[in-house]
Amino acid sequence: MDCAPAEHGSVARPDRQQLVPLKILVAGGFGVGKTTLVHALSEIPPLSTEQEMTSLSVGVDDAAVVPDKVTTTVAMDFGRITVDDAMILYLFGTPGQSRFWFMWDELARGAVGALVLVDLRREDDCFAAIDYFENRGLPFVVAINDFPGSGDFDDETVRDALVLHPDCPLVRLDARRADSALGGLVALVEHAVARSAA
Amino acid sequence: MTVDEKTDGRSDGGRVVPNYAVTRGRTRSAGPDLPIEALMTATAHGRAALAGLAPEYRAIVEASSTPRSLAEIGAVLDVPVGVARVLVSDLVESEYLAVHLPLVDADGRPRRELLERLLDGLRAR
């Protein structure tokens, strides 16, 4: 679906409210398939944005100490889905390491929820993300990426291993396939709607 | 405007826009911080003023002929989100860009009707 030209912004949408952005986070350990999933779903070519670590803590008055060279930046892949004529959903692949949690606070604010990708060969990598979203009360779904061998464990075994709350949906998907990845997003949004009703 | 001497190995020799040179040392925007998914669209005023704008501002207004998020603008200019936020805020203040913020409830979560609309849209794909 193409996005609507901006020229139509205020005149051609009498019945739809203004443009509205939404975001979903895609979290999980390094190499679990976050980037693959974002790229499978995105309608735009893969984009990456940088967040500079110092930029959040240095105020206007400290301009003199702003380094003239970028020292540490965190790259973040993201994608875009035009949902309807006025709604655009962004998917952000969030760095999994706990030292990047300062970014998650900004990213998590106002998010629909998070898809936590898990590689069952390295399931320890997802605990940080699960803990974070549980503590923040952000709706999330655990999605097992379909790596070889992931079918060896049934859902109950996985839930036990990850100490998942009974209400937390568990899905399986292939992050390389758009239709499969989309199923993960739908499960998350269903969960977010259900949580919204409570 | 100074030219950023850094190269990052790309064939075009590096960034289109030097980072905190173009923001004149500012690392924060004047108003409340725009979220990374906030959408921008060029206004008629902004399109009319294009020729007179500095290159980095012009690039943003041109890119925003279709709705662009702050994250996309950072990617288009190849600058960190913090830099894009400062530049975009300048353009919003000058009314060259219109900004479309997320619609959230008092608890900071997206409104329920938006979630249902999102669900309908995703299921229809």
Side-chain angles (χ1 to χ4, degrees):
Chain A
M1 191 195 304
D2 291 332
C3 55
E7 283 73 18
H8 297 177
S10 52
V11 286
R13 285 187 205 108
D15 51 348
R16 280 284 193 197
Q17 56 278 53
Q18 69 268 38
L19 278 169
V20 54
L22 289 169
K23 66 181 165 188
I24 285 176
L25 313 187
V26 181
F30 181 77
V32 73
K34 300 187 294 286
T35 301
T36 303
L37 182 135
V38 169
H39 292 179
L41 288 170
S42 180
E43 69 199 14
I44 55 172
L47 287 177
S48 178
T49 189
E50 291 177 353
Q51 187 102 37
E52 189 180 346
M53 309 224 21
T54 54
S55 66
L56 293 179
S57 56
V58 181
V60 172
D61 293 339
D62 301 324
V65 303
V66 173
D68 57 2
K69 272 186 284 192
V70 173
T71 48
T72 309
T73 57
V74 181
M76 191 167 54
D77 291 306
F78 69 96
R80 161 176 167 148
I81 297 174
T82 300
V83 177
D84 60 35
D85 60 352
M87 177 180 277
I88 301 177
L89 172 67
Y90 288 93
L91 306 173
F92 289 101
T94 62
Q97 301 91 327
S98 57
R99 67 193 162 97
F100 296 135
W101 281 2
F102 77 97
M103 284 178 62
W104 290 15
D105 282 343
E106 183 190 336
L107 281 171
R109 199 172 300 130
V112 170
L115 199 61
V116 179
L117 270 181
V118 180
D119 176 351
L120 286 183
R121 298 167 301 185
R122 293 176 297 168
E123 79 276 10
D124 285 357
D125 289 355
C126 70
F127 284 125
I130 289 175
D131 283 349
Y132 179 86
F133 296 123
E134 268 180 357
N135 291 334
R136 296 286 154 151
L138 193 76
F140 69 96
V141 163
V142 170
I144 298 164
N145 197 3
D146 188 22
F147 286 108
S150 62
D152 297 350
F153 303 94
D154 62 24
D155 285 4
E156 195 178 344
T157 306
V158 173
R159 283 184 168 281
D160 284 350
L162 300 182
V163 204
L164 284 189
H165 192 277
D167 295 340
C168 176
L170 176 70
V171 299
R172 294 170 188 263
L173 54 77
D174 181 341
R176 298 166 299 182
R177 288 176 38 222
D179 57 341
S180 179
L182 185 64
L185 285 194
V186 168
L188 170 61
V189 181
E190 284 172 343
H191 183 52
V193 169
R195 285 271 305 266
S196 177
Chain B
M1 196 176 107
T2 58
V3 175
D4 194 339
E5 296 297 330
K6 284 195 286 81
T7 59
D8 55 8
R10 303 182 338 167
S11 56
D12 62 4
R15 294 183 185 282
V16 175
V17 179
N19 290 344
Y20 291 101
V22 299
T23 68
R24 300 190 297 281
R26 293 166 299 156
T27 58
R28 300 292 297 267
S29 46
D33 276 356
L34 289 173
I36 195 166
E37 74 274 25
L39 287 169
M40 263 61 68
T41 50
T43 62
H45 184 45
R47 287 194 295 274
L50 263 187
L53 292 179
E56 63 275 11
Y57 288 129
R58 190 162 64 228
I60 294 173
V61 175
E62 282 176 343
S64 305
S65 60
T66 57
R68 300 280 186 175
S69 63
L70 185 62
E72 285 171 287
I73 288 170
V76 165
L77 268 66
D78 195 16
V79 298
V81 169
V83 174
R85 182 177 283 128
V86 173
L87 298 174
V88 162
S89 297
D90 289 345
L91 290 165
V92 171
E93 200 172 319
S94 306
E95 300 183 355
Y96 294 155
L97 286 182
V99 60
H100 313 271
L101 293 170
L103 302 175
V104 294
D105 276 332
D107 62 357
R109 307 245 60 84
R111 294 180 191 164
R112 182 185 168 88
E113 69 263 26
L114 295 181
L115 296 176
E116 289 172 340
R117 193 170 135 197
L118 172 62
L119 189 53
D120 289 345
L122 292 179
R123 280 176 172 158
R125 290 178 75 86

